[in-house]
Amino acid sequence: MTLAADRETRKRPAPRGRPVHPQAADLLAWYDRHRRELAWRAPPGETADPYRVWLSEIMLQQTTVKAVAPYFARFTARWRDVGALAAAPLGDVLKLWAGLGYYARARNLHACARAIVAQHGGRIPATEAELARLPGIGPYTAAAIAAIAFGAPAAAVDGNVERVMARLFALEQELPAARRDIRRLAQGLVPDRRAGDFAQALMDLGATICLPRAPACMLCPWRLACAAYSRGDPERFPRKAKKQPGRLRRGAAYVVTRADGAVLVRTRLPKGLLGGMTEVPISEWTPDFDLATALDAAPRLARARPKWRRLPGVVTHVFTHFPVELVVYAAGVPAGISAPKGARWMVPGGLEGEALPNVMRKVLAHAFDAD
């Protein structure tokens, strides 16, 4: 055997005997030694703040801990409780959220805060059923808040926990069909005491040990209880049905700069993709976008006829369900030109104060770099 082959063999866990039943106590003992210190997580022995738990769980949906940390700090510094967040204008919430992505979460966060104030007197409800009736709170988030903030014996199953459960029981059924069984199995492991710590321990196990690739099985407190480890093929789980990629959409973006440096922007409609966010004028995004007619959707300005120039290259961005490619057109107009109906001029240096999604930041960076 070559040295490289020998190393590869030693990386893979060797097949073991029949696994024992996983015990919550083993996971909790590991968690007590290795728990992550997170801004929204209560220190050992202290009661969790439901507001911070709820806010963090909404922010963490489809996003990483590293990305969320600075946003969580800014939100909690500005709005210290549900009532303060509910009283804030939606535009301010979107501005502070800008760059974190999945902007429906920000709109739902604001709507949820207002519902909590209107329906629950500003107190976040404690049960899964009540939580699940609020805007933006699905089964996982309801279970996570109920368990972590209120100690309810709820199984909070996110992507990390799905992976842990699928490996622990070597589930052959593919995701997403396997989710009902995974939730049932996870619920069967929740202890009567320390349910919140158990939920967070499972999350930490998936985030730090039971990784998608090269899991650190030898450090896992459930190693001897794991069916996939016993088989020697943990990376085979969870099994997933093949996703169909979204069809590429194309379009155009129009960056108009006034002589004083102001940029023409507008606010998207409240509903739908990037609802309520700030954008430069754009065309429709379609799979069959015709570049020959791209300027038909360019903004019209009174007393000015912009001389459009197409910038080299394209701006690419990937949304959850589809990728997009945008050609960018730029033009300059004299100072004093009024914005068309539904648009406004963004003053120089005003970028940080706008609720600009990442795709629009890319468009503006492309335009300014070209200059």
Side-chain angles (χ1 to χ4, degrees):
M1 180 183 293
T2 66
L3 180 60
D6 178 59
R7 284 176 178 165
E8 186 61 31
T9 300
R10 284 186 283 131
K11 282 182 184 178
R12 296 194 299 267
R16 303 284 176 173
R18 185 175 181 178
V20 298
H21 186 73
Q23 300 295 319
D26 294 333
L27 182 63
L28 287 168
W30 171 84
Y31 179 69
D32 288 340
R33 295 191 302 273
H34 302 290
R35 58 183 286 153
R36 291 179 293 174
E37 291 186 9
L38 303 173
W40 46 86
R41 183 173 281 179
E46 294 189 14
T47 302
D49 179 349
Y51 172 66
R52 295 171 75 87
V53 173
W54 163 66
L55 178 61
S56 65
E57 288 298 336
I58 299 300
M59 286 186 164
L60 286 165
Q61 293 170 6
Q62 299 177 294
T63 315
T64 65
V65 165
K66 183 178 179 181
V68 164
Y71 287 87
F72 181 84
R74 287 195 287 270
F75 264 73
T76 51
R78 183 157 181 185
W79 301 300
R80 295 186 177 276
D81 55 33
V82 176
L85 182 58
L90 175 59
D92 288 354
V93 176
L94 290 172
K95 287 176 184 177
L96 218 60
W97 190 281
L100 191 55
Y102 303 100
Y103 296 98
R105 293 179 300 160
R107 298 193 297 274
N108 285 332
L109 179 77
H110 188 253
C112 187
R114 294 196 163 182
I116 290 169
V117 169
Q119 300 168 20
H120 300 279
R123 297 177 66 87
I124 294 174
T127 68
E128 282 186 85
E130 289 177 301
L131 287 161
R133 287 193 286 269
L134 293 169
I137 297 184
Y140 160 74
T141 308
I145 297 169
I148 299 169
F150 301 104
V157 181
D158 65 356
N160 281 328
V161 176
E162 283 181 349
R163 184 168 61 255
V164 172
M165 290 294 112
R167 288 174 176 172
L168 196 60
F169 296 98
L171 294 179
E172 293 290 347
Q173 189 178 21
E174 293 180 338
L175 290 171
R179 283 182 175 143
R180 177 176 291 186
D181 282 345
I182 286 174
R183 185 174 176 81
R184 174 182 57 80
L185 291 166
Q187 186 65 61
L189 297 175
V190 178
D192 294 331
R193 294 180 62 253
R194 299 187 65 187
D197 282 345
F198 181 80
Q200 293 174 106
L202 264 181
M203 296 172 194
D204 280 10
L205 188 68
T208 64
I209 300 294
C210 196
L211 303 170
R213 290 180 174 81
C217 294
M218 297 308 295
L219 302 177
C220 178
W222 275 349
R223 180 178 73 255
L224 299 181
C226 181
Y229 173 77
S230 177
R231 292 163 43 125
D233 59 353
E235 290 188 48
R236 184 171 177 269
F237 302 94
R239 301 190 64 201
K240 297 181 180 180
K242 188 174 181 181
K243 282 186 178 180
Q244 294 299 320
R247 191 176 177 189
L248 174 66
R249 301 183 193 181
R250 295 184 173 89
Y254 311 97
V255 179
V256 187
T257 306
R258 210 167 53 182
D260 60 1
V263 177
L264 189 69
V265 298
R266 62 192 185 190
T267 300
R268 291 178 66 86
L269 294 174
K271 302 288 186 180
L273 181 70
L274 305 179
M277 303 298 288
T278 302
E279 67 177 6
V280 299
I282 58 171
S283 69
E284 285 191 69
W285 300 347
T286 62
D288 55 354
F289 177 73
D290 185 359
L291 193 59
T293 61
L295 289 177
D296 290 352
R300 303 290 189 265
L301 290 92
R303 299 189 298 112
R305 290 192 176 185
K307 293 183 178 179
W308 296 103
R309 68 187 192 281
R310 180 186 167 187
L311 304 181
V314 295
V315 169
T316 62
H317 191 77
V318 179
F319 292 97
T320 307
H321 301 297
F322 66 91
V324 65
E325 283 185 359
L326 300 177
V327 294
V328 179
Y329 290 88
V333 296
I337 296 297
S338 299
K341 185 177 179 181
R344 65 185 186 279
W345 292 106
M346 180 174 64
V347 298
L351 279 175
E352 295 306 318
E354 291 286 346
L356 283 164
N358 284 333
V359 64
M360 289 299 129
R361 293 180 184 273
K362 289 181 181 180
V363 166
L364 289 169
H366 187 77
F368 294 156
D369 287 347
D371 289 340

